[in-house]
Amino acid sequence: MLNTVELSDTAWINILPVGVIYDRRYGKVVVDKALIDKMVSNYKAGIPSYQLSVDLDHEGGKAYGWIKELEAREDGLYALVEFIKTAQTS
C-alpha cells in the first residue's frame, strides 16, 4: 500500500503484483517472473514509445504522475513514479 507522499516526490510502487489477474480484454493472465522480466525488457528497449502515465481509469484521463523506471522484483513489477502537483491530460 502506498503511504502518503509529497506531490513533488517520487516513489517505487508495485503496479503489478505476482499472481493471477483477470483482464476484460485478455481474460485470465498469469503474472509471473517471466512476464515481468519481459515487460521490463520491453520498457528499457523503448516499448512503448510514449511516456507512461499513472492515472485512475486507464482511459486517457488525468495523469497524476509519470513512470520513470520499471524494475522486476520478487513480488511484482515496480514503477518509479514521479508525481505531479496538478493532474494533467495524458
Side-chain angles (χ1 to χ4, degrees):
M1 179 62 77
L2 176 65
N3 293 326
T4 302
V5 295
E6 295 298 319
L7 292 177
S8 62
D9 283 352
T10 59
W12 282 99
I13 301 171
N14 186 339
I15 61 171
L16 187 60
V18 169
V20 177
I21 62 170
Y22 296 89
D23 183 89
R24 66 178 177 219
R25 296 164 294 179
Y26 307 112
K28 179 181 173 180
V29 177
V30 177
V31 179
D32 58 12
K33 182 171 177 11
L35 177 63
I36 291 170
D37 286 345
K38 183 65 174 171
M39 294 174 84
V40 171
S41 175
N42 284 346
Y43 181 78
K44 289 180 178 181
I47 302 168
S49 60
Y50 53 87
Q51 186 174 24
L52 298 174
S53 65
V54 175
D55 60 36
L56 298 180
D57 60 10
H58 301 308
E59 299 293 332
K62 301 291 182 181
Y64 294 92
W66 302 100
I67 293 176
K68 297 298 186 179
E69 191 174 340
L70 291 179
E71 183 175 282
R73 297 188 187 174
E74 290 298 317
D75 61 338
L77 177 65
Y78 281 74
L80 179 61
V81 177
E82 180 179 80
F83 294 96
I84 54 180
K85 293 182 183 199
T86 305
Q88 301 173 351
T89 303
S90 58

